[in-house]
Amino acid sequence: MKLLTPDLGLFVWMLVAFSVVLVILAKFAWKPIVGALKERETGIADSLAQAEKVKAEMAQLQSDNEALLQKAQEERAQLLKEARDARDKMINEAKEQAKIEANKIIAEAQAAIQHQKNAAMTDVKNQVGNLVIEVATKVLGRELTNAGEQERFIQDLTKDIKLN
Amino acid sequence: MIFNRVKCLSVAVFSLLLMLFSNVAFANDEHAGEEKPKVFDANKVIFGHVLDAHEFHFFDYTDSEGHLHPVTIPLPVILYSKERGWDVFMSSKLEHGHAVYNGYKIDDEKIYAVNEAGAIDESVKVYDLSITRNVAQMLLAIIVLVSILISAANKYKKGIGRTTAPKGFQNALETVILFIRDEVAKPNLGSKYERYLPFLLSVFFFILINNIFGMIPGAANVSGNIVFTAVLGIISMLVINFSGNKHYWGHIFNPPVPGGVKAILVPVEILSIFTKPFSLIVRLFANILAGHIIIICLISLIFIFGNFGSAAGFGFAPVSIAFTIFIYMIEILVAFIQAYIFTNLTAVFLGGAIEEHHHHEDEHAHH
């Protein structure tokens, strides 16, 4: 069968041709093509990974922002509360102080009144004493003639003396 | 869609042309040899088509004096013999066996040395290294293939397809390249695929372009020639066995079976080194050859019917052409499928040879 008997010439040419084709294609065709395809694929994969990363970063940033906002709000609330407390405290303190002060003033006033009252009483007592002495002097000086008249005189005198 | 239609149409036109050419040839033959009763010799036509030849033969015509003139493209004949050294001349000098040139004559596509008397000289062993039509067509296919691929490679070098989207024919090429890489090389060869990818791609495209060139009506049957497939098979065998690691050879010479079985299995394993590429060789050869034979047979049927009368011949022509177109479509498919199968099986065998940590079960699962 001529179909199955290999032909030497064709064999030699074929071997040479395929070897040359293999070398040429490997060097000048497959290397750049396969290299470019790989480069492109890694480029795309990198870009996708980058995008994913950026997305994750954005999400992180957003959650950070939210946390920050939350914290700020909490802080504001805290500050407000503190301020309110401080104000209340100050008012209370002031009230307390005022009360104490007032009490003190009242006590002092009362003490002063008492003191003046005492002084006045002393004064009155002194003046009563003096008057008594004066009246007695006057009585003694007029030489009491009758008992009736003496009595009326004493009455008059005491009428004048009024303990305020 | 349009491309498909054009392809369809061109196949039909080519088939018709082929029929017409043959028609001219046979009609003239009838006139030329009037003394012998002329019938259509399908066997000669079929084998004349699928076998190699020293020229591209298209058709014959007969001039007014009744001389037969074959219309051919002559190809260079390159001969070597120890006694006579190198001889290079065009095949037209041999006049299809009618003439002796430089002490050589051709008979049934085989070139013999002849002596002074014109008888065949058996003592001179002639090595025929001619550029036969298979060689010529293969070289043409190679030029086309290399220029297509290198122009594509240059596009990639310029950055088209590297950083931007690929354009035009690059897309078609890229799909095939990526298919070979992702579906053939990577699954079978694993992490070491990059080393063998150029080989696999070259084998695939080389077979494919020759299959496709063989589909052109009037062209030679290159990839359906046993030599073509044998060379590829032998190269695959060399690549597989030179890549084979310790494990691969260990599996062949010391398979993990009990001693008695080993005696049987070792020869089988050694045989398998050769049977694997042999299966590749025969598969590709038989598939492409069968396709060519079927098509030429279907066309020949017209003339076989024509032997019963021209009405029968013309009557059968539409049926025959319809079948031819159908088979032609299938053959275009086969051109791709066989190139893929050859490449894929080469990758599978290579994968078996370079696999590092394979267990017995794994290996069988892979095959």
Side-chain angles (χ1 to χ4, degrees):
Chain A
M1 280 292 278
K2 268 188 96 176
L3 270 179
L4 291 172
T5 47
D7 179 43
L8 175 76
L10 185 55
F11 187 87
V12 171
W13 282 110
M14 177 66 210
L15 199 63
V16 172
F18 184 70
S19 311
V20 171
V21 165
L22 194 61
V23 171
I24 289 176
L25 288 185
K27 199 163 177 189
F28 299 111
W30 303 134
K31 213 171 143 192
I33 292 174
V34 172
L37 289 178
K38 199 172 178 189
E39 199 182 302
R40 196 178 73 201
E41 272 167 21
T42 42
I44 290 168
D46 284 353
S47 302
L48 285 176
Q50 190 74 25
E52 200 63 35
K53 214 172 114 193
V54 169
K55 214 165 115 188
E57 264 169 25
M58 287 292 285
Q60 178 70 33
L61 221 64
Q62 200 159 1
S63 74
D64 278 2
N65 280 350
E66 264 166 30
L68 224 63
L69 204 66
Q70 187 81 21
K71 211 174 149 197
Q73 270 168 351
E74 272 169 20
E75 231 160 80
R76 190 192 64 178
Q78 180 74 24
L79 278 175
L80 279 173
K81 192 167 166 272
E82 271 172 19
R84 208 176 290 136
D85 287 355
R87 185 194 65 184
D88 290 353
K89 201 174 151 201
M90 268 164 80
I91 290 170
N92 286 342
E93 267 176 12
K95 270 184 186 167
E96 208 67 29
Q97 196 74 29
K99 217 179 268 174
I100 291 166
E101 206 69 22
N103 288 345
K104 202 172 144 195
I105 290 166
I106 289 166
E108 268 172 16
Q110 275 173 346
I113 289 165
Q114 196 63 42
H115 184 72
Q116 285 193 355
K117 191 178 154 190
N118 288 345
M121 284 300 277
T122 314
D123 205 18
V124 166
K125 274 176 194 166
N126 287 345
Q127 274 192 356
V128 167
N130 283 345
L131 279 174
V132 169
I133 293 166
E134 221 176 287
V135 167
T137 320
K138 274 180 183 168
V139 169
L140 291 174
R142 268 182 80 172
E143 293 162 299
L144 298 167
T145 51
N146 64 37
E149 217 176 333
Q150 198 175 331
E151 195 66 28
R152 201 188 26 99
F153 187 62
I154 289 167
Q155 285 283 321
D156 285 347
L157 282 175
T158 47
K159 218 186 272 174
D160 286 346
I161 302 163
K162 267 199 182 139
L163 284 170
N164 291 347
Chain B
M1 215 38 213
I2 290 166
F3 179 67
N4 273 343
R5 272 190 205 155
V6 169
K7 207 155 72 175
C8 235
L9 194 69
S10 58
V11 169
V13 168
F14 275 132
S15 305
L16 273 171
L17 276 177
L18 194 70
M19 190 192 79
L20 283 176
F21 286 160
S22 318
N23 205 1
V24 170
F26 303 135
N28 289 335
D29 259 357
E30 235 169 301
H31 285 293
E34 255 167 288
E35 62 279 358
K36 49 181 175 178
K38 186 63 198 166
V39 282
F40 174 73
D41 184 1
N43 197 42
K44 195 174 153 233
V45 170
I46 292 163
F47 282 95
H49 178 78
V50 297
L51 288 173
D52 203 0
H54 286 82
E55 65 208 357
F56 277 104
H57 178 238
F58 295 112
F59 58 91
D60 300 328
Y61 83 95
T62 319
D63 60 19
S64 49
E65 286 155 27
H67 293 298
L68 190 73
H69 294 285
V71 175
T72 64
I73 299 172
L75 294 166
V77 173
I78 302 166
L79 300 171
Y80 175 77
S81 60
K82 266 190 199 132
E83 293 82 357
R84 301 184 185 182
W86 291 94
D87 258 305
V88 180
F89 52 89
M90 292 305 279
S91 66
S92 52
K93 295 279 198 320
L94 293 169
E95 290 181 16
H96 319 288
H98 300 304
V100 172
Y101 182 81
N102 254 7
Y104 293 104
K105 86 183 277 238
I106 190 165
D107 182 32
D108 198 16
E109 291 305 329
K110 193 162 161 49
I111 293 174
Y112 299 97
V114 290
N115 55 23
E116 306 285 314
I120 290 170
D121 189 354
E122 294 289 353
S123 67
V124 179
K125 177 100 179 76
V126 182
Y127 295 99
D128 184 357
L129 298 174
S130 307
I131 308 286
T132 59
R133 66 175 183 172
N134 276 354
V135 177
Q137 191 180 306
M138 183 182 68
L139 294 177
L140 192 69
I142 286 171
I143 291 166
V144 170
L145 178 68
V146 168
S147 49
I148 286 173
L149 290 176
I150 288 190
S151 74
N154 286 337
K155 268 191 179 176
Y156 281 105
K157 272 186 199 158
K158 270 186 233 154
I160 305 164
R162 184 187 286 265
T163 47
T164 60
K167 276 186 201 159
F169 190 67
Q170 250 183 316
N171 281 310
L173 212 58
E174 209 179 282
T175 313
V176 180
I177 293 170
L178 288 179
F179 176 77
I180 297 293
R181 193 190 69 181
D182 296 337
E183 307 297 327
V184 176
K186 273 185 189 170
N188 290 310
L189 302 176
S191 57
K192 278 183 262 176
Y193 80 93
E194 274 180 359
R195 201 178 150 199
Y196 298 99
L197 189 57
F199 171 68
L200 293 175
L201 284 169
S202 300
V203 166
F204 179 83
F205 278 96
F206 191 65
I207 294 172
L208 183 63
I209 192 96
N210 279 299
N211 283 348
I212 289 170
F213 266 61
M215 297 305 297
I216 300 167
N221 170 32
V222 177
S223 49
N225 190 298
I226 190 82
V227 175
F228 178 92
T229 61
V231 169
L232 289 172
I234 288 166
I235 289 174
S236 286
M237 186 181 82
L238 294 177
V239 170
I240 290 163
N241 288 299
F242 277 112
S243 314
N245 57 15
K246 216 164 58 183
H247 207 107
Y248 169 75
W249 291 110
H251 201 84
I252 288 169
F253 291 109
N254 189 20
V257 287
V261 186
K262 209 171 265 187
I264 306 166
L265 207 56
V266 168
V268 172
E269 288 282 0
I270 290 171
L271 209 62
S272 81
I273 296 174
F274 302 100
T275 53
K276 280 173 188 172
F278 188 72
S279 74
L280 292 177
I281 292 169
V282 173
R283 184 179 297 109
L284 181 60
F285 163 69
N287 271 285
I288 304 300
L289 181 69
H292 278 255
I293 289 178
I294 288 171
I295 290 175
I296 193 79
C297 279
L298 284 169
I299 294 291
S300 297
L301 268 181
I302 297 170
F303 303 101
I304 291 167
F305 274 88
N307 284 340
F308 304 125
S310 21
F314 281 116
F316 191 72
V319 181
S320 179
I321 287 168
F323 271 111
T324 308
I325 291 168
F326 174 65
I327 297 293
Y328 215 108
M329 292 297 158
I330 290 178
E331 284 309 307
I332 290 169
L333 198 64
V334 167
F336 284 88
I337 291 172
Q338 286 305 320
Y340 161 68
I341 289 177
F342 193 101
T343 315
N344 194 41
L345 287 178
T346 303
V348 168
F349 297 149
L350 250 173
I354 63 170
E355 212 171 358
E356 277 299 344
H357 310 286
H358 70 173
H359 302 294
H360 205 63
E361 296 78 16
D362 277 354
E363 199 211 4
H364 285 286
H366 271 128
H367 287 215

PDB file of all heavy atoms in Angstrom, chain B residues 188 240 248 251 269 272 276 345-355 358-367:
ATOM      1  N   ASN B 188      -3.797  19.753  31.989  1.00  0.00           N
ATOM      2  CA  ASN B 188      -3.000  18.540  31.865  1.00  0.00           C
ATOM      3  C   ASN B 188      -1.591  18.689  32.426  1.00  0.00           C
ATOM      4  O   ASN B 188      -1.030  17.724  32.940  1.00  0.00           O
ATOM      5  CB  ASN B 188      -2.900  18.129  30.397  1.00  0.00           C
ATOM      6  CG  ASN B 188      -4.226  17.635  29.872  1.00  0.00           C
ATOM      7  OD1 ASN B 188      -4.858  16.789  30.485  1.00  0.00           O
ATOM      8  ND2 ASN B 188      -4.672  18.187  28.770  1.00  0.00           N
ATOM      9  N   ILE B 240       7.736  13.906  24.980  1.00  0.00           N
ATOM     10  CA  ILE B 240       7.148  13.241  26.156  1.00  0.00           C
ATOM     11  C   ILE B 240       8.232  12.502  26.935  1.00  0.00           C
ATOM     12  O   ILE B 240       8.364  12.648  28.144  1.00  0.00           O
ATOM     13  CB  ILE B 240       6.032  12.267  25.730  1.00  0.00           C
ATOM     14  CG1 ILE B 240       4.819  13.036  25.209  1.00  0.00           C
ATOM     15  CG2 ILE B 240       5.630  11.364  26.892  1.00  0.00           C
ATOM     16  CD1 ILE B 240       3.855  12.187  24.413  1.00  0.00           C
ATOM     17  N   TYR B 248       7.890   8.822  36.191  1.00  0.00           N
ATOM     18  CA  TYR B 248       7.382   8.275  34.926  1.00  0.00           C
ATOM     19  C   TYR B 248       8.153   7.022  34.536  1.00  0.00           C
ATOM     20  O   TYR B 248       7.575   5.980  34.237  1.00  0.00           O
ATOM     21  CB  TYR B 248       7.499   9.362  33.865  1.00  0.00           C
ATOM     22  CG  TYR B 248       7.282   8.925  32.436  1.00  0.00           C
ATOM     23  CD1 TYR B 248       6.011   8.643  31.962  1.00  0.00           C
ATOM     24  CD2 TYR B 248       8.361   8.829  31.554  1.00  0.00           C
ATOM     25  CE1 TYR B 248       5.810   8.269  30.641  1.00  0.00           C
ATOM     26  CE2 TYR B 248       8.167   8.458  30.237  1.00  0.00           C
ATOM     27  CZ  TYR B 248       6.896   8.172  29.779  1.00  0.00           C
ATOM     28  OH  TYR B 248       6.712   7.814  28.483  1.00  0.00           O
ATOM     29  N   HIS B 251       7.593   4.202  36.866  1.00  0.00           N
ATOM     30  CA  HIS B 251       6.308   3.547  36.620  1.00  0.00           C
ATOM     31  C   HIS B 251       6.420   2.552  35.477  1.00  0.00           C
ATOM     32  O   HIS B 251       5.723   1.547  35.439  1.00  0.00           O
ATOM     33  CB  HIS B 251       5.262   4.607  36.281  1.00  0.00           C
ATOM     34  CG  HIS B 251       3.872   4.149  36.498  1.00  0.00           C
ATOM     35  ND1 HIS B 251       3.258   4.205  37.729  1.00  0.00           N
ATOM     36  CD2 HIS B 251       2.972   3.585  35.654  1.00  0.00           C
ATOM     37  CE1 HIS B 251       2.046   3.706  37.620  1.00  0.00           C
ATOM     38  NE2 HIS B 251       1.845   3.325  36.374  1.00  0.00           N
ATOM     39  N   GLU B 269       4.237  -1.761  29.539  1.00  0.00           N
ATOM     40  CA  GLU B 269       4.529  -0.345  29.785  1.00  0.00           C
ATOM     41  C   GLU B 269       5.535   0.179  28.773  1.00  0.00           C
ATOM     42  O   GLU B 269       5.414   1.297  28.276  1.00  0.00           O
ATOM     43  CB  GLU B 269       5.068  -0.152  31.212  1.00  0.00           C
ATOM     44  CG  GLU B 269       4.010  -0.312  32.303  1.00  0.00           C
ATOM     45  CD  GLU B 269       3.130   0.905  32.449  1.00  0.00           C
ATOM     46  OE1 GLU B 269       3.331   1.887  31.713  1.00  0.00           O
ATOM     47  OE2 GLU B 269       2.221   0.862  33.305  1.00  0.00           O
ATOM     48  N   SER B 272       3.928   0.786  25.672  1.00  0.00           N
ATOM     49  CA  SER B 272       3.049   1.962  25.699  1.00  0.00           C
ATOM     50  C   SER B 272       3.801   3.241  25.340  1.00  0.00           C
ATOM     51  O   SER B 272       3.202   4.213  24.887  1.00  0.00           O
ATOM     52  CB  SER B 272       2.382   2.113  27.056  1.00  0.00           C
ATOM     53  OG  SER B 272       3.259   2.730  27.961  1.00  0.00           O
ATOM     54  N   LYS B 276       1.447   5.048  22.428  1.00  0.00           N
ATOM     55  CA  LYS B 276       0.783   6.346  22.621  1.00  0.00           C
ATOM     56  C   LYS B 276       0.980   7.259  21.412  1.00  0.00           C
ATOM     57  O   LYS B 276       0.005   7.708  20.810  1.00  0.00           O
ATOM     58  CB  LYS B 276       1.297   7.023  23.889  1.00  0.00           C
ATOM     59  CG  LYS B 276       0.667   6.480  25.160  1.00  0.00           C
ATOM     60  CD  LYS B 276       1.347   7.089  26.367  1.00  0.00           C
ATOM     61  CE  LYS B 276       0.894   6.457  27.649  1.00  0.00           C
ATOM     62  NZ  LYS B 276       1.725   6.938  28.766  1.00  0.00           N
ATOM     63  N   LEU B 345      -4.219  15.194  23.366  1.00  0.00           N
ATOM     64  CA  LEU B 345      -3.656  13.915  23.802  1.00  0.00           C
ATOM     65  C   LEU B 345      -2.162  14.039  24.049  1.00  0.00           C
ATOM     66  O   LEU B 345      -1.635  13.443  24.998  1.00  0.00           O
ATOM     67  CB  LEU B 345      -3.962  12.824  22.777  1.00  0.00           C
ATOM     68  CG  LEU B 345      -5.420  12.373  22.783  1.00  0.00           C
ATOM     69  CD1 LEU B 345      -5.667  11.341  21.712  1.00  0.00           C
ATOM     70  CD2 LEU B 345      -5.806  11.793  24.140  1.00  0.00           C
ATOM     71  N   THR B 346      -1.484  14.828  23.237  1.00  0.00           N
ATOM     72  CA  THR B 346      -0.066  15.068  23.503  1.00  0.00           C
ATOM     73  C   THR B 346       0.102  15.673  24.893  1.00  0.00           C
ATOM     74  O   THR B 346       0.974  15.270  25.664  1.00  0.00           O
ATOM     75  CB  THR B 346       0.523  16.019  22.443  1.00  0.00           C
ATOM     76  OG1 THR B 346       0.299  15.445  21.168  1.00  0.00           O
ATOM     77  CG2 THR B 346       2.000  16.221  22.647  1.00  0.00           C
ATOM     78  N   ALA B 347      -0.777  16.634  25.202  1.00  0.00           N
ATOM     79  CA  ALA B 347      -0.706  17.276  26.525  1.00  0.00           C
ATOM     80  C   ALA B 347      -1.014  16.281  27.632  1.00  0.00           C
ATOM     81  O   ALA B 347      -0.374  16.294  28.689  1.00  0.00           O
ATOM     82  CB  ALA B 347      -1.671  18.449  26.580  1.00  0.00           C
ATOM     83  N   VAL B 348      -1.971  15.391  27.379  1.00  0.00           N
ATOM     84  CA  VAL B 348      -2.319  14.384  28.392  1.00  0.00           C
ATOM     85  C   VAL B 348      -1.131  13.456  28.643  1.00  0.00           C
ATOM     86  O   VAL B 348      -0.755  13.208  29.800  1.00  0.00           O
ATOM     87  CB  VAL B 348      -3.553  13.562  27.936  1.00  0.00           C
ATOM     88  CG1 VAL B 348      -3.744  12.350  28.810  1.00  0.00           C
ATOM     89  CG2 VAL B 348      -4.803  14.419  27.966  1.00  0.00           C
ATOM     90  N   PHE B 349      -0.497  12.990  27.569  1.00  0.00           N
ATOM     91  CA  PHE B 349       0.652  12.088  27.727  1.00  0.00           C
ATOM     92  C   PHE B 349       1.799  12.819  28.404  1.00  0.00           C
ATOM     93  O   PHE B 349       2.487  12.276  29.282  1.00  0.00           O
ATOM     94  CB  PHE B 349       1.113  11.553  26.364  1.00  0.00           C
ATOM     95  CG  PHE B 349       0.068  10.713  25.657  1.00  0.00           C
ATOM     96  CD1 PHE B 349      -0.001  10.677  24.277  1.00  0.00           C
ATOM     97  CD2 PHE B 349      -0.850   9.955  26.383  1.00  0.00           C
ATOM     98  CE1 PHE B 349      -0.964   9.917  23.627  1.00  0.00           C
ATOM     99  CE2 PHE B 349      -1.810   9.191  25.738  1.00  0.00           C
ATOM    100  CZ  PHE B 349      -1.865   9.174  24.358  1.00  0.00           C
ATOM    101  N   LEU B 350       2.003  14.070  28.006  1.00  0.00           N
ATOM    102  CA  LEU B 350       3.054  14.882  28.626  1.00  0.00           C
ATOM    103  C   LEU B 350       2.778  15.068  30.113  1.00  0.00           C
ATOM    104  O   LEU B 350       3.680  14.963  30.942  1.00  0.00           O
ATOM    105  CB  LEU B 350       3.072  16.259  27.965  1.00  0.00           C
ATOM    106  CG  LEU B 350       4.250  16.605  27.074  1.00  0.00           C
ATOM    107  CD1 LEU B 350       3.989  17.912  26.389  1.00  0.00           C
ATOM    108  CD2 LEU B 350       5.528  16.652  27.857  1.00  0.00           C
ATOM    109  N   GLY B 351       1.509  15.330  30.412  1.00  0.00           N
ATOM    110  CA  GLY B 351       1.119  15.517  31.807  1.00  0.00           C
ATOM    111  C   GLY B 351       1.441  14.280  32.630  1.00  0.00           C
ATOM    112  O   GLY B 351       1.937  14.375  33.747  1.00  0.00           O
ATOM    113  N   GLY B 352       1.182  13.105  32.047  1.00  0.00           N
ATOM    114  CA  GLY B 352       1.497  11.860  32.744  1.00  0.00           C
ATOM    115  C   GLY B 352       2.987  11.689  32.962  1.00  0.00           C
ATOM    116  O   GLY B 352       3.423  11.109  33.955  1.00  0.00           O
ATOM    117  N   ALA B 353       3.774  12.228  32.014  1.00  0.00           N
ATOM    118  CA  ALA B 353       5.222  12.049  32.109  1.00  0.00           C
ATOM    119  C   ALA B 353       5.868  13.017  33.096  1.00  0.00           C
ATOM    120  O   ALA B 353       6.894  12.704  33.688  1.00  0.00           O
ATOM    121  CB  ALA B 353       5.849  12.218  30.728  1.00  0.00           C
ATOM    122  N   ILE B 354       5.271  14.183  33.291  1.00  0.00           N
ATOM    123  CA  ILE B 354       5.931  15.185  34.145  1.00  0.00           C
ATOM    124  C   ILE B 354       5.269  15.334  35.500  1.00  0.00           C
ATOM    125  O   ILE B 354       5.749  16.088  36.342  1.00  0.00           O
ATOM    126  CB  ILE B 354       5.995  16.576  33.466  1.00  0.00           C
ATOM    127  CG1 ILE B 354       4.595  17.126  33.234  1.00  0.00           C
ATOM    128  CG2 ILE B 354       6.778  16.512  32.174  1.00  0.00           C
ATOM    129  CD1 ILE B 354       4.582  18.565  32.807  1.00  0.00           C
ATOM    130  N   GLU B 355       4.191  14.590  35.715  1.00  0.00           N
ATOM    131  CA  GLU B 355       3.470  14.716  36.977  1.00  0.00           C
ATOM    132  C   GLU B 355       4.386  14.358  38.144  1.00  0.00           C
ATOM    133  O   GLU B 355       5.064  13.331  38.097  1.00  0.00           O
ATOM    134  CB  GLU B 355       2.275  13.778  36.956  1.00  0.00           C
ATOM    135  CG  GLU B 355       1.106  14.302  37.725  1.00  0.00           C
ATOM    136  CD  GLU B 355      -0.127  13.454  37.495  1.00  0.00           C
ATOM    137  OE1 GLU B 355      -0.048  12.501  36.718  1.00  0.00           O
ATOM    138  OE2 GLU B 355      -1.145  13.757  38.104  1.00  0.00           O
ATOM    139  N   HIS B 358       2.194  11.943  41.749  1.00  0.00           N
ATOM    140  CA  HIS B 358       0.953  11.256  41.396  1.00  0.00           C
ATOM    141  C   HIS B 358       0.869   9.895  42.058  1.00  0.00           C
ATOM    142  O   HIS B 358       1.853   9.193  42.230  1.00  0.00           O
ATOM    143  CB  HIS B 358       0.727  11.197  39.884  1.00  0.00           C
ATOM    144  CG  HIS B 358       1.670  10.288  39.166  1.00  0.00           C
ATOM    145  ND1 HIS B 358       1.522  10.010  37.838  1.00  0.00           N
ATOM    146  CD2 HIS B 358       2.744   9.603  39.577  1.00  0.00           C
ATOM    147  CE1 HIS B 358       2.490   9.185  37.489  1.00  0.00           C
ATOM    148  NE2 HIS B 358       3.231   8.936  38.508  1.00  0.00           N
ATOM    149  N   HIS B 359      -0.355   9.595  42.431  1.00  0.00           N
ATOM    150  CA  HIS B 359      -0.646   8.276  42.975  1.00  0.00           C
ATOM    151  C   HIS B 359      -1.223   7.457  41.848  1.00  0.00           C
ATOM    152  O   HIS B 359      -1.644   7.970  40.835  1.00  0.00           O
ATOM    153  CB  HIS B 359      -1.645   8.397  44.119  1.00  0.00           C
ATOM    154  CG  HIS B 359      -1.132   9.301  45.200  1.00  0.00           C
ATOM    155  ND1 HIS B 359      -0.045   8.984  45.959  1.00  0.00           N
ATOM    156  CD2 HIS B 359      -1.533  10.525  45.586  1.00  0.00           C
ATOM    157  CE1 HIS B 359       0.181   9.978  46.791  1.00  0.00           C
ATOM    158  NE2 HIS B 359      -0.708  10.934  46.575  1.00  0.00           N
ATOM    159  N   HIS B 360      -1.254   6.178  42.091  1.00  0.00           N
ATOM    160  CA  HIS B 360      -1.710   5.279  41.039  1.00  0.00           C
ATOM    161  C   HIS B 360      -3.124   5.637  40.572  1.00  0.00           C
ATOM    162  O   HIS B 360      -3.401   5.696  39.379  1.00  0.00           O
ATOM    163  CB  HIS B 360      -1.672   3.851  41.558  1.00  0.00           C
ATOM    164  CG  HIS B 360      -1.530   2.868  40.446  1.00  0.00           C
ATOM    165  ND1 HIS B 360      -0.429   2.837  39.626  1.00  0.00           N
ATOM    166  CD2 HIS B 360      -2.367   1.922  39.999  1.00  0.00           C
ATOM    167  CE1 HIS B 360      -0.590   1.887  38.730  1.00  0.00           C
ATOM    168  NE2 HIS B 360      -1.749   1.308  38.929  1.00  0.00           N
ATOM    169  N   GLU B 361      -3.993   5.918  41.550  1.00  0.00           N
ATOM    170  CA  GLU B 361      -5.396   6.190  41.213  1.00  0.00           C
ATOM    171  C   GLU B 361      -5.489   7.479  40.392  1.00  0.00           C
ATOM    172  O   GLU B 361      -6.196   7.550  39.413  1.00  0.00           O
ATOM    173  CB  GLU B 361      -6.247   6.347  42.477  1.00  0.00           C
ATOM    174  CG  GLU B 361      -6.345   5.117  43.330  1.00  0.00           C
ATOM    175  CD  GLU B 361      -5.102   4.908  44.169  1.00  0.00           C
ATOM    176  OE1 GLU B 361      -4.300   5.854  44.326  1.00  0.00           O
ATOM    177  OE2 GLU B 361      -4.904   3.796  44.654  1.00  0.00           O
ATOM    178  N   ASP B 362      -4.706   8.452  40.843  1.00  0.00           N
ATOM    179  CA  ASP B 362      -4.744   9.758  40.181  1.00  0.00           C
ATOM    180  C   ASP B 362      -4.412   9.638  38.711  1.00  0.00           C
ATOM    181  O   ASP B 362      -5.039  10.224  37.862  1.00  0.00           O
ATOM    182  CB  ASP B 362      -3.706  10.695  40.838  1.00  0.00           C
ATOM    183  CG  ASP B 362      -4.284  11.306  42.081  1.00  0.00           C
ATOM    184  OD1 ASP B 362      -5.484  11.083  42.319  1.00  0.00           O
ATOM    185  OD2 ASP B 362      -3.535  11.989  42.794  1.00  0.00           O
ATOM    186  N   GLU B 363      -3.393   8.855  38.453  1.00  0.00           N
ATOM    187  CA  GLU B 363      -2.936   8.727  37.093  1.00  0.00           C
ATOM    188  C   GLU B 363      -4.055   8.196  36.206  1.00  0.00           C
ATOM    189  O   GLU B 363      -4.292   8.683  35.119  1.00  0.00           O
ATOM    190  CB  GLU B 363      -1.740   7.781  37.061  1.00  0.00           C
ATOM    191  CG  GLU B 363      -0.923   7.956  35.796  1.00  0.00           C
ATOM    192  CD  GLU B 363      -0.263   6.681  35.362  1.00  0.00           C
ATOM    193  OE1 GLU B 363      -0.503   5.643  35.995  1.00  0.00           O
ATOM    194  OE2 GLU B 363       0.462   6.730  34.369  1.00  0.00           O
ATOM    195  N   HIS B 364      -4.760   7.185  36.742  1.00  0.00           N
ATOM    196  CA  HIS B 364      -5.826   6.616  35.923  1.00  0.00           C
ATOM    197  C   HIS B 364      -6.991   7.575  35.790  1.00  0.00           C
ATOM    198  O   HIS B 364      -7.627   7.618  34.751  1.00  0.00           O
ATOM    199  CB  HIS B 364      -6.267   5.274  36.501  1.00  0.00           C
ATOM    200  CG  HIS B 364      -5.245   4.208  36.205  1.00  0.00           C
ATOM    201  ND1 HIS B 364      -5.109   3.675  34.958  1.00  0.00           N
ATOM    202  CD2 HIS B 364      -4.288   3.660  36.979  1.00  0.00           C
ATOM    203  CE1 HIS B 364      -4.107   2.797  34.987  1.00  0.00           C
ATOM    204  NE2 HIS B 364      -3.595   2.776  36.195  1.00  0.00           N
ATOM    205  N   ALA B 365      -7.210   8.311  36.854  1.00  0.00           N
ATOM    206  CA  ALA B 365      -8.287   9.307  36.792  1.00  0.00           C
ATOM    207  C   ALA B 365      -7.994  10.341  35.716  1.00  0.00           C
ATOM    208  O   ALA B 365      -8.874  10.787  35.005  1.00  0.00           O
ATOM    209  CB  ALA B 365      -8.440   9.979  38.145  1.00  0.00           C
ATOM    210  N   HIS B 366      -6.709  10.674  35.605  1.00  0.00           N
ATOM    211  CA  HIS B 366      -6.342  11.687  34.618  1.00  0.00           C
ATOM    212  C   HIS B 366      -6.487  11.207  33.189  1.00  0.00           C
ATOM    213  O   HIS B 366      -6.790  11.971  32.313  1.00  0.00           O
ATOM    214  CB  HIS B 366      -4.895  12.135  34.847  1.00  0.00           C
ATOM    215  CG  HIS B 366      -4.805  13.269  35.808  1.00  0.00           C
ATOM    216  ND1 HIS B 366      -3.987  13.238  36.881  1.00  0.00           N
ATOM    217  CD2 HIS B 366      -5.460  14.432  35.852  1.00  0.00           C
ATOM    218  CE1 HIS B 366      -4.138  14.358  37.562  1.00  0.00           C
ATOM    219  NE2 HIS B 366      -5.028  15.092  36.949  1.00  0.00           N
ATOM    220  N   HIS B 367      -6.181   9.924  33.001  1.00  0.00           N
ATOM    221  CA  HIS B 367      -6.172   9.475  31.585  1.00  0.00           C
ATOM    222  C   HIS B 367      -7.571   9.269  31.072  1.00  0.00           C
ATOM    223  O   HIS B 367      -8.156   8.379  31.001  1.00  0.00           O
ATOM    224  CB  HIS B 367      -5.334   8.204  31.470  1.00  0.00           C
ATOM    225  CG  HIS B 367      -3.879   8.559  31.618  1.00  0.00           C
ATOM    226  ND1 HIS B 367      -2.879   7.930  30.956  1.00  0.00           N
ATOM    227  CD2 HIS B 367      -3.291   9.517  32.352  1.00  0.00           C
ATOM    228  CE1 HIS B 367      -1.725   8.461  31.279  1.00  0.00           C
ATOM    229  NE2 HIS B 367      -1.944   9.428  32.142  1.00  0.00           N
TER     230      HIS B 367
END
